Amino acid sequence: PAVSHLRRHDPAGDGTRRRRLQSRRKRARHRRRPGCVAPVAGSGLWHSPRVLVLEEREKHMEKNVETEVKLLVGKKELKELLELPLVAKRVRKGSHETLKLVNAYYDTKDLLLRQAGIAYRIRQTGNAFEQTVKMSKKAAGGLTSRGEYTVPAQGWRPDWTAFAGAGLPLDVEGLLGGALVEKLFSVRVKRDVRLLQVTADTVVEMAIDQGCVLAGKRKDTIGEVELELKEGKVEDLLAYIGQLAQHVPLYTESRSKY
């Protein structure tokens, strides 16, 4: 009786119809699952899948993890964004400052670091220098997360030994195998930065960069808004950006400088 029952629903008897039904049910469950990628109404902003949010919530509890969303905003829209009560009334007192940053990005001639998913830069802020190694990143719906390790630098000279004790989970010198790194390009920006108290527990840094990228004789402009989670929950960061998008058109920028 069981066999005849199956054959009534699957005349060929090879399970084809049953597999099709299972596939349809699986797709239907996927469409209904909360947290799937979906656009915020009226903007180019995309929410991250819930699974990534959960992963980044755990990772953000660790040291040296940068979790942020980069946005592209027009000049007119940027002025409107900064005037929103959602921004203006949530700035932490004394946190607003303007900085001039000069960044230089390095790699070998055959881009060994890039092939390993690593970015290395030296940054000058005033008279101070620091060097940073950024690990490979995860990205979904505009939300990116990557390990970031920063130590002091002596001018524009790379020094891998300075990362000893910084927790860097990689032997960069071993990866390079004696190959020398050289400056590929530089980025000069004016950074307008402020801390926003998004919720009682969540603090987000808003950094507005405007400047240029220089590579030899080539030059291009750069303008972006970064919202980086400093304290609290990834969900609060995403929810806050969703609120902003109801007032100003926002578009996520998934590309990094390197």
Side-chain angles (χ1 to χ4, degrees), residues 26-98:
K26 185 177 180 180
R27 289 197 299 271
R29 285 196 301 271
H30 177 77
R31 286 194 295 268
R32 293 192 299 267
R33 192 172 66 239
C36 290
V37 177
V40 172
S43 79
L45 177 66
W46 293 79
H47 274 304
S48 298
R50 181 173 176 77
V51 64
L52 182 71
V53 172
L54 294 176
E55 288 178 2
E56 300 316 320
R57 180 198 298 165
E58 295 175 0
K59 286 185 179 179
H60 190 70
M61 301 305 291
E62 304 172 6
K63 281 184 171 184
N64 306 93
V65 176
E66 177 189 60
T67 301
E68 67 179 12
V69 175
K70 289 186 178 183
L71 302 170
L72 296 178
V73 186
K75 288 185 178 180
K76 177 184 175 184
E77 288 75 19
L78 178 58
K79 184 175 183 295
E80 294 175 359
L81 177 68
L82 295 176
E83 291 175 350
L84 287 176
L86 279 170
V87 175
K89 292 186 177 181
R90 300 195 184 185
V91 178
R92 273 191 173 182
K93 188 176 180 180
S95 69
H96 184 200
E97 59 180 334
T98 301

Side-chain angles (χ1 to χ4, degrees), residues 114-133:
R114 183 173 179 83
Q115 291 178 41
I118 296 170
Y120 172 73
R121 73 156 188 243
I122 295 179
R123 168 177 288 174
Q124 179 183 13
T125 308
N127 295 320
F129 288 83
E130 64 182 26
Q131 53 185 336
T132 299
V133 171

